[in-house]
């Protein structure tokens, strides 16, 4: 992908009065891939001045400042611009009560300073930016809904499933003359006529139980104290799980309609007046289905009044009931009228469609009453209310609930409905379908570099291109961000899906112009097929998503079909987690010990404790298979604690037997994040009556990069106990002499990758020689690990390397075998002395 403009940075405010911590934050940020402009403040006063002058995308805030608590700044920072700004609180305090208070105050996240590393910081920042973007979109959607509701010619409202109103439009408040605040919750019920409240409650209860639309008529008090009749319709809004989360309602003034209906009960004379001058359509139909009379409002609604001013002879007229209705709806209309007559009801109400003179369909609501005698015969009176305007607004409201406001595509809820429909259809017709999950490659780079407006234009352009590649019956939805899902129903053969995917890739790859910039964008797709790759929406989407990640891992800009191995990979990870937890409980681990040899005396000076896992089913599991996951998941903490205890126990046993060797124990960076690591070693030394200088802790160069100050503090405390420090695997990380000087290890171990290349090239030999030469600058002893040949041992010894370790001397051995090895070494040494 090629972007021709400079990437726009994200603006970050760091409020920290400790120069060391502030510098550490900036250093960690530089290691991440985010393009961030950092502004720092050392006090609350300076921070308030900065947020008054400029806008920031995020803030990192120290909990305790010299002139204020960070929580006192939270609201000022969060609301210093139109959209809320995420605030990440950092502190040296890990008290859970303080964390809970900070989160309640509105912080996006809380990171203890001892856990502050590159991954944690960058991941938290990326999550905060995603949250801020989602909040912006939600505010836009809410603003669209309110704008639409405020534009309605009806009284509009929303409420919870419990009946508590959480929004009323201004028209409702103007009508009742009561402020919105006084009516929110249950206050709105005060405007309902007392005689109608019980009826309204029963209709509402049934609608909530059935999760269906509610139709009801009741009277609402106007600001002048007069009650008027309103027709109310409420639609349930459901979440992805089908649970009703809100009701959207509109109230339409039908006072004239009700007045007309009541007038019929008192006087035929009044009826004729109301009939002819009523603002809503009315028609009288006899029992044979012939139209007796229509009023001007109905003829205007259906377009027949234009015939009075047109010289063209009419092609049809209103003679019988079938002339009114859309042909598809006439049967249900006749059934409603028949029920009205047979059930001896006063009136009935239902929605249907009328057919206008020009053939168009008009959605209407009908109030039908049975009149026992009119001009000497029984008949039906139909009052017709035009629902066109209401339907249009309802369609827009529903579109907000089921369609993406940016692209006009279906959203996640619509996608789930469509997949459920295709599954039901497939169960009847055995028609397979495909789910294609795709997202844009490197979309974040464009969005950050060219701005959100350009990102929105790109998403809309991509949406249109995807649509043009698909059939009319195919479905495309946007799940959010740059994620799209395409549903291909009725796939006749597998090759058809591949053909569509190829077509989509070609279409998307064409250049797109965003303002003055011309960019190339790509997409990656994952494909799952029903029913082979899943028989429900959740499984199909998960498997298509797995295939998408596989496509990205293979270089992006391509598609991949779901394979069972992807699920097996996830399953294997879950199984490994479960097995490791069982291994900790069931004590399935053991330690082997690899000797460290003094290259001058050839004696064993110490042993490195190396963990081994005896799985009850799989047998011996290599450390490379489980240690990385243990580090990632945090299981290394209980495992590491067991290693420390077992190694110290074994060392104490050897010492009691008279074996004068020391023990090396590997400790990970994750373990240093604990606050009780020093305490663990203190307890072990006391429990097993060991001296601190009999133990060496081996650390890696990662310790230099994460939580440096905290790690250095703990290392100094360990040294105070007499424990020695060894820098393991030196040469493959990012060490610098300044870091080594600060940590001051007693040992430095040359990584086996350097040792294995000894003798293969001059540059490799000089590199090893240079590493050994560090002991002339820094007082420490050098250990060569991974020695497998005599040539390597001789080279290292000749250049001043102090100790050696590797298969040349011995593999890692169980404790009894190491004891035998040491005895053999002693015997061999005594025999050489005798000669």
């Amino acid at each position: 992908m090629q972007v021709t403009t400079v990437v726009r940075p994200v603006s970050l405010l760091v409020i920290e009065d400790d120069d060391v911590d502030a510098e550490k934050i900036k250093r960690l940020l530089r290691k991440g891939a985010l393009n961030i402009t950092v502004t720092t403040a050392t006090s609350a006063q300076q921070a308030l001045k900065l947020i008054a002058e400029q806008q920031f995308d995020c803030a990192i805030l120290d909990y305790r400042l010299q002139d204020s608590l960070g929580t006192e700044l939270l609201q000022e920072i969060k609301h210093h611009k139109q959209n809320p700004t995420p605030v990440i609180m950092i502190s040296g305090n890990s008290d859970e009560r303080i964390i809970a208070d900070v989160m309640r105050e509105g912080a996006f996240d809380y990171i203890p300073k001892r856990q502050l590393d590159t991954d944690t910081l960058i991941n938290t920042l990326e999550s905060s930016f995603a949250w801020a973007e989602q909040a912006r979109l939600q505010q836009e959607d809410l603003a669209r809904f309110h704008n639409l509701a405020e534009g309605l010619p009806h009284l509009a409202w929303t409420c919870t499933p419990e009946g508590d109103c959480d929004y009323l439009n201004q028209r409702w408040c103007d009508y009742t003359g009561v402020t919105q605040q006084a009516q929110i919750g249950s206050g709105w019920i005060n405007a309902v006529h007392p005689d109608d409240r019980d009826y309204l409650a029963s209709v509402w209860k049934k609608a909530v139980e059935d999760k269906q639309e509610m139709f009801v008529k009741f009277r609402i008090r106007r600001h002048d104290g007069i009650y008027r009749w309103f027709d109310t319709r409420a639609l349930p809004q459901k979440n992805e799980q089908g649970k009703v989360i809100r009701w959207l309602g509109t109230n339409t003034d039908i006072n004239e309609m009700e007045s007309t209906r009541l007038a019929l009960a008192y006087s035929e004379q009044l009826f004729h007046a109301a009939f002819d001058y009523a603002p809503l359509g009315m028609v009288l139909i006899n029992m044979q289905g012939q139209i007796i009379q229509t009023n001007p409002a109905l003829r205007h609604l259906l377009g027949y009044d234009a015939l009075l001013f047109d010289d063209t002879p009419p092609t049809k007229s209103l003679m019988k009931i079938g002339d009114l209705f859309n042909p598809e709806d006439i049967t249900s209309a006749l059934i409603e009228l028949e029920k009205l007559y047979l059930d001896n009801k006063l009136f009935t109400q239902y929605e249907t469609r009328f057919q206008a003179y020009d053939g168009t369909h008009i959605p209407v609501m009908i109030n039908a009453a049975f009149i026992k005698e009119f001009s000497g015969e029984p008949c039906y009176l139909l009052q017709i209310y035009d629902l066109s305007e209401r339907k249009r607004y309802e369609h827009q409201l529903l579109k907000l609930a089921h369609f993406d406001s940016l692209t006009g595509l279906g959203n996640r809820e619509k996608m789930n409905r469509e997949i459920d429909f295709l599954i039901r259809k497939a169960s009847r017709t055995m028609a397979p379908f495909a789910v294609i999950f795709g997202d844009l490659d490197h979309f974040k780079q464009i969005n950050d570099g060219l701005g959100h407006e350009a990102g929105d234009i790109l998403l809309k352009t991509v949406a249109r291109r995807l649509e043009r590649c698909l059939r009319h019956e195919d479905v495309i939805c946007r799940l959010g961000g740059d994620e799209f899902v395409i549903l291909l129903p009725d796939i006749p053969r597998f090759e058809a899906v591949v053909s569509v995917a190829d077509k989509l890739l070609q279409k998307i790859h064409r250049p797109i112009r965003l303002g003055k910039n011309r960019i190339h964008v790509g997409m990656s797709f994952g494909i799952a097929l029903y029913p082979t790759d899943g028989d429900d929406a959740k499984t199909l989407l998960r498997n298509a998503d797995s295939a998408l990640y596989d496509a990205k891992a293979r270089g992006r800009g391509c598609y991949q079909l779901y394979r069972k191995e992807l699920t097996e990979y996830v399953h294997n990870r879950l199984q490994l987690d479960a097995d490791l937890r069982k291994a900790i409980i069931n004590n399935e681990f053991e330690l082997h010990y690899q000797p460290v040899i003094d290259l001058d005396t050839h004696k064993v000076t110490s042993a490195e404790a190396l963990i081994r896992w005896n799985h009850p089913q799989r047998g011996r599991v290599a450390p490379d298979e489980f240690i990385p996951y243990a580090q990632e998941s945090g299981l290394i903490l209980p495992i590491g604690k067991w290693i420390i205890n077992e190694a110290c126990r074994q060392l104490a046993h050897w010492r009691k037997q008279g074996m004068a060797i020391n023990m090396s124990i590997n400790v990970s960076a994750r373990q240093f994040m604990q606050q009780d690591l020093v305490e663990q070693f203190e307890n072990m030394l006391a429990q097993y009556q060991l001296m601190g200088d009999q133990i060496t802790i081996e650390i890696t160069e990662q310790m230099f990069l994460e939580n440096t100050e905290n790690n250095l503090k703990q290392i100094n405390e360990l040294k105070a106990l007499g424990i020695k420090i060894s820098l393991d695997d030196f040469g493959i990380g990012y060490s610098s002499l300044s870091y080594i000087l600060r940590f001051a290890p007693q040992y430095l171990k040359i990584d086996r990758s350097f040792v294995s290349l000894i003798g293969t090239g001059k540059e490799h030999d000089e590199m090893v020689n240079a590493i050994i030469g560090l002991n002339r600058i820094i007082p420490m002893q050098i250990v060569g690990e991974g020695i497998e040949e005599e040539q390597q041992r001789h080279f290292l010894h000749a250049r001043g390397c102090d100790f050696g370790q590797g298969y040349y001397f011995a593999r890692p051995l169980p404790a009894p075998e190491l004891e035998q090895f040491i005895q053999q070494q002693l015997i061999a040494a005594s025999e050489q002395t005798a000669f």
Side-chain angles (χ1 to χ4, degrees):
M1 178 184 300
Q2 299 175 350
V3 180
T4 56
T5 60
V6 178
V7 174
R8 179 183 66 80
V10 174
S11 180
L12 175 66
L13 175 61
V14 176
I15 308 168
E16 171 61 73
D17 55 10
D18 188 316
D19 293 342
V20 175
D21 288 340
E23 185 60 33
K24 176 182 177 180
I25 292 171
K26 288 191 282 187
R27 186 174 71 250
L28 294 176
L29 290 171
R30 286 194 294 269
K31 296 173 185 175
L34 295 177
N35 191 353
I36 299 178
T37 296
V38 179
T39 303
T40 57
T42 58
S43 67
Q45 183 178 1
Q46 185 182 4
L48 289 171
K49 182 179 179 182
L50 286 170
I51 64 174
E53 296 172 349
Q54 55 185 299
Q55 294 188 353
F56 297 95
D57 297 301
C58 183
I60 296 177
L61 173 60
D62 192 0
Y63 174 72
R64 191 176 298 279
L65 301 169
Q66 291 181 354
D67 60 343
S68 172
L69 281 179
T71 49
E72 297 173 4
L73 288 175
L74 261 175
Q75 299 306 318
E76 292 285 343
I77 299 172
K78 281 188 65 178
H79 302 296
H80 83 290
K81 62 178 184 177
Q82 181 177 359
N83 297 316
T85 301
V87 178
I88 300 169
M89 189 76 75
I90 61 172
S91 174
N93 196 321
S94 59
D95 190 324
E96 292 182 356
R97 290 172 297 180
I98 292 178
I99 297 174
D101 290 341
V102 168
M103 299 306 290
R104 277 195 295 271
E105 289 292 328
F108 174 79
D109 205 348
Y110 184 102
I111 307 176
K113 287 185 178 180
R114 69 175 186 274
Q115 297 179 7
L116 196 60
D117 55 36
T118 300
D119 289 342
T120 301
L121 183 59
I122 296 302
N123 290 339
T124 305
L125 281 173
E126 289 180 335
S127 298
S128 73
F129 297 151
W131 171 85
E133 176 65 10
Q134 187 64 31
R136 181 183 70 82
L137 294 175
Q138 289 177 350
Q139 285 192 352
E140 289 179 359
D141 284 346
L142 187 60
R144 290 191 192 95
F145 170 77
H146 284 179
N147 290 337
L148 180 60
E150 293 299 335
L152 282 170
H154 313 287
L155 311 186
W157 49 272
T158 65
C159 75
T160 66
E162 292 73 31
D164 293 327
C165 179
D166 54 10
Y167 169 75
L168 294 164
N169 70 348
Q170 190 59 42
R171 191 176 293 273
W172 177 296
C173 299
D174 292 343
Y175 178 84
T176 60
V178 182
T179 64
Q180 184 181 83
Q181 184 177 4
Q183 299 184 88
I184 290 295
S186 59
W188 64 275
I189 199 71
N190 295 325
V192 178
H193 196 290
D195 294 345
D196 298 338
R197 292 176 187 175
D198 289 342
Y199 173 66
L200 173 60
S202 64
V203 176
W204 168 256
K205 181 180 178 181
K206 187 175 187 308
V208 171
E209 290 174 351
D210 297 341
K211 299 181 181 180
Q212 299 297 325
E213 300 176 44
M214 180 186 75
F215 298 92
V216 63
K217 290 194 300 183
F218 59 90
R219 288 164 287 181
I220 302 176
R221 185 180 63 242
R222 200 165 59 185
H223 56 81
D224 56 4
I226 296 174
Y227 284 93
R228 291 179 65 85
W229 283 96
F230 280 80
D231 168 66
T232 297
R233 182 181 188 186
L235 301 172
Q237 182 182 4
K238 301 177 182 178
N239 62 15
E240 297 177 8
Q241 291 73 39
K243 182 181 178 182
V244 176
I245 58 174
R246 185 172 285 102
W247 289 77
L248 312 176
T250 56
N251 295 37
T252 304
D253 190 329
I254 58 168
N255 206 63
E256 287 78 13
M257 183 184 296
E258 282 301 294
S259 298
T260 302
R261 186 176 66 82
L262 293 172
L264 290 173
Y266 297 109
S267 165
E268 190 172 323
Q269 183 179 2
L270 280 176
F271 164 75
H272 283 295
F275 187 90
D276 289 335
Y277 295 104
L280 66 159
M282 302 181 71
V283 59
L284 287 166
I285 302 172
N286 66 17
M287 303 301 289
Q288 289 73 45
Q290 295 174 330
I291 294 176
I292 301 172
Q293 187 177 347
T294 59
N295 74 339
L298 178 63
R299 293 191 292 273
H300 175 74
L301 174 64
L302 300 181
Y304 283 89
D305 58 347
L307 301 177
L308 299 174
F309 310 100
D310 193 346
D311 296 333
T312 306
T315 58
K316 56 184 177 179
S317 59
L318 296 173
M319 298 293 292
K320 57 186 183 301
I321 190 171
D323 298 331
L324 292 171
F325 290 88
N326 171 43
E328 298 176 0
D329 300 328
I330 183 61
T331 301
S332 59
L334 292 172
I335 292 173
E336 291 289 342
L337 293 179
E338 185 178 6
K339 286 166 56 179
L340 180 65
Y341 171 71
L342 295 175
D343 296 344
N344 197 28
K345 294 168 62 177
L346 292 177
F347 73 96
T348 187
Q349 184 183 77
Y350 59 95
E351 286 190 18
T352 185
R353 291 176 296 174
F354 269 16
Q355 184 164 275
Y357 180 79
D358 60 4
T360 58
H361 299 155
I362 302 172
V364 296
M365 180 177 65
I366 292 180
N367 268 4
F370 177 67
I371 302 175
K372 292 183 179 179
E373 185 176 343
F374 180 83
S375 299
E377 65 173 326
C379 66
Y380 298 105
L381 170 66
L382 274 60
Q383 300 169 306
I384 298 96
Y385 186 84
D386 183 8
L387 295 180
S388 300
E389 187 176 16
R390 178 193 279 194
K391 290 291 185 182
R392 184 169 62 254
Y393 279 109
E394 286 179 355
H395 176 72
Q396 293 182 48
L397 288 173
L398 287 173
K399 191 170 183 179
L400 283 176
H402 296 285
F403 290 87
D404 174 45
S405 57
L406 176 66
T407 63
L409 301 176
N411 59 14
R412 185 181 294 273
E413 182 173 352
K414 180 171 176 59
M415 176 201 67
N416 287 329
R417 288 172 177 266
E418 293 289 344
I419 293 179
D420 289 340
F421 168 76
L422 290 175
I423 291 174
R424 290 194 301 272
K425 177 183 176 183
S427 66
R428 297 190 306 270
T429 63
M430 302 301 292
F433 65 90
V435 177
I436 303 179
F437 200 141
D439 67 10
L440 292 171
D441 298 333
H442 308 296
F443 173 71
K444 188 177 184 301
Q445 179 181 341
I446 298 174
N447 211 33
D448 293 344
L450 302 182
H452 293 297
E453 183 177 350
D456 289 348
I457 294 173
L458 174 61
L459 290 172
K460 288 189 283 189
T461 303
V462 168
R464 300 292 82 78
R465 287 188 177 184
L466 293 174
E467 284 182 312
R468 287 195 290 270
C469 293
L470 303 174
R471 303 168 298 178
H472 176 72
E473 62 268 27
D474 297 335
V475 178
I476 176 171
C477 300
R478 177 180 174 234
L479 303 192
D482 61 332
E483 293 183 337
F484 296 85
V485 168
I486 299 166
L487 307 177
L488 305 179
D490 301 322
I491 296 299
R493 62 187 188 282
F494 165 77
E495 291 78 11
V497 183
V498 174
S499 176
V500 171
D502 284 328
K503 188 176 179 182
L504 292 171
L505 289 173
Q506 294 173 10
K507 193 76 172 180
I508 292 300
H509 189 65
R510 291 169 50 196
I512 295 176
R513 183 168 294 280
L514 298 178
K516 297 179 180 179
N517 303 295
R518 181 181 176 88
I519 69 167
H520 289 80
V521 66
M523 283 194 79
S524 302
F525 294 105
I527 302 171
L529 304 175
Y530 176 89
T532 56
D533 298 334
D535 56 5
D536 60 71
K538 184 177 180 181
T539 304
L540 286 167
L541 284 171
R542 183 183 66 239
N543 291 342
D545 192 25
S546 297
L548 169 61
Y549 276 98
D550 190 31
K552 288 186 173 295
R554 293 171 181 264
R556 304 177 187 265
C558 64
Y559 63 84
Q560 288 296 321
L561 298 164
Y562 171 73
R563 307 188 314 278
K564 186 178 180 181
E565 305 90 89
L566 299 177
T567 300
E568 289 178 350
Y569 171 75
V570 176
H571 172 77
N572 290 340
R573 297 266 290 184
L574 295 174
Q575 187 64 50
L576 177 60
D577 185 277
D579 287 352
L580 274 175
R581 293 179 189 277
K582 289 180 183 177
I584 295 170
I585 297 172
N586 298 335
N587 197 26
E588 296 173 7
F589 298 114
E590 67 171 314
L591 291 183
H592 284 195
Y593 304 89
Q594 187 171 32
V596 178
I597 309 297
D598 186 316
L599 295 182
D600 284 329
T601 65
H602 307 289
K603 292 182 179 180
V604 177
T605 61
S606 64
E608 181 181 359
L610 300 169
I611 191 168
R612 297 294 183 264
W613 180 13
N614 297 312
H615 193 284
Q617 282 81 41
R618 297 172 57 192
R620 182 65 59 81
V621 181
D624 290 347
E625 292 187 41
F626 68 91
I627 290 297
Y629 179 77
Q631 297 272 21
E632 176 187 334
S633 64
L635 292 175
I636 194 66
L637 301 181
I639 293 174
K641 190 172 184 179
W642 177 86
I643 292 173
I644 293 170
N645 180 79
E646 178 63 17
C648 290
R649 185 199 63 79
Q650 183 62 54
L651 178 61
H653 174 72
W654 283 338
R655 284 277 172 174
K656 287 179 182 178
Q657 287 185 326
M659 294 175 57
I661 65 171
N662 296 335
M663 183 70 74
S664 292
I665 303 173
N666 290 280
V667 178
S668 71
R670 190 74 177 263
Q671 290 173 265
F672 270 86
M673 293 172 64
Q674 301 176 101
Q675 293 306 303
D676 66 341
L677 180 63
V678 176
E679 184 181 348
Q680 286 183 40
F681 278 98
E682 277 184 313
N683 294 337
M684 292 300 101
L685 293 177
Q687 179 178 346
Y688 294 113
Q689 299 179 358
L690 296 171
M691 302 296 293
D693 61 2
Q694 296 168 355
I695 294 175
T696 299
I697 291 178
E698 299 202 6
I699 63 174
T700 64
E701 295 170 86
Q702 186 182 7
M703 296 282 295
F704 298 158
L705 307 177
E706 300 177 1
N707 301 303
T708 304
E709 299 305 321
N710 175 68
N711 294 343
L712 184 58
K713 174 178 175 292
Q714 292 190 76
I715 283 177
N716 287 333
E717 291 175 355
L718 290 167
K719 285 182 176 180
L721 298 176
I723 295 173
K724 300 174 183 178
I725 304 299
S726 174
L727 179 55
D728 195 11
D729 299 334
F730 180 79
I732 61 172
Y734 303 93
S735 294
S736 68
L737 289 179
S738 62
Y739 275 129
I740 297 176
L741 285 168
R742 293 187 70 190
F743 279 78
Q746 283 91 348
Y747 300 98
L748 183 147
K749 298 183 77 172
I750 306 172
D751 185 71
R752 65 185 65 248
S753 61
F754 288 95
V755 173
S756 65
L757 294 174
I758 288 174
T760 62
K762 182 180 179 182
E763 66 278 9
H764 299 305
D765 293 352
E766 290 179 351
M767 177 67 74
V768 174
N769 198 32
I771 294 173
I772 296 172
L774 289 175
N775 63 2
R776 293 192 291 272
I777 304 172
I778 304 170
M780 57 186 177
Q781 294 181 297
I782 309 298
V783 182
E785 59 178 347
I787 299 174
E788 297 185 359
E789 300 173 0
E790 166 59 24
Q791 174 197 2
Q792 297 166 355
R793 185 207 65 79
H794 178 76
F795 179 94
L796 292 170
H797 183 235
R799 283 158 179 77
C801 181
D802 302 287
F803 302 98
Q805 184 179 9
Y807 287 3
Y808 176 78
F809 304 105
R811 294 174 177 271
L813 302 170
E817 294 184 23
L818 181 67
E819 295 171 12
Q820 294 177 10
F821 175 82
I822 293 175
Q823 291 298 326
Q824 291 171 359
Q825 292 288 91
L826 291 174
I827 293 172
S830 63
E831 290 176 350
Q832 290 179 359
T833 303
F835 285 107

